[in-house]
Amino acid sequence: NPNESEHSSVTKSYDLRRIMNKRSHKSSSPHVNNKSPSKHDKKWNFHFKHLKNFKKEHGHIELNRHTNPQLHRWAIIQRFQYKNNIASMTSDRIEKLKSIGFDLCEGTRGWDCKLE
């Protein structure tokens, strides 16, 4: 059936565009074209705000899994994303973390972490 083939081709084209749009969105800044932050950006900002508050309250960012397990886990994820060049670890996020003294290489061997 010719209509079926045409429909399948259109669907495949649509799926590919959707996938590519998702990929390009991941690597772009959350505020390009005045878009509002995504739910992932909001969640990241939520944890970053808690990290800043933790530092303000305690005078350091030495987290451990016993006193603040959720923030400790988030910090580990940030270091993993940085070390492995994960797209969600944007230069904006790196700068924000560094601005409050967050050590992105803590817990890694020196040669395992990026040099900047």
Side-chain angles (χ1 to χ4, degrees), residues 10-22:
V10 169
T11 302
K12 286 178 184 175
S13 174
Y14 170 77
D15 288 343
L16 182 58
R17 272 186 272 131
R18 197 180 80 225
I19 291 167
M20 294 308 289
N21 284 338
K22 282 184 179 181

Side-chain angles (χ1 to χ4, degrees), residues 43-73:
K43 187 175 180 181
W44 191 91
N45 288 326
F46 171 82
H47 288 293
F48 180 70
K49 180 180 175 183
H50 282 279
L51 184 65
K52 284 189 346 184
N53 290 338
F54 182 92
K55 182 177 182 179
K56 186 176 181 179
E57 182 179 327
H58 300 280
H60 62 81
I61 308 176
E62 297 169 18
L63 304 165
N64 69 60
R65 67 178 187 258
H66 302 292
T67 58
N68 199 324
Q70 187 177 18
L71 198 54
H72 178 258
R73 182 171 182 265

Side-chain angles (χ1 to χ4, degrees), residues 73-90:
R73 182 171 182 265
W74 182 81
I76 289 171
I77 291 168
Q78 301 317 297
R79 291 181 179 111
F80 175 84
Q81 290 177 345
Y82 177 75
K83 176 184 164 191
N84 293 288
N85 294 311
I86 306 294
S88 59
M89 181 49 74
T90 63

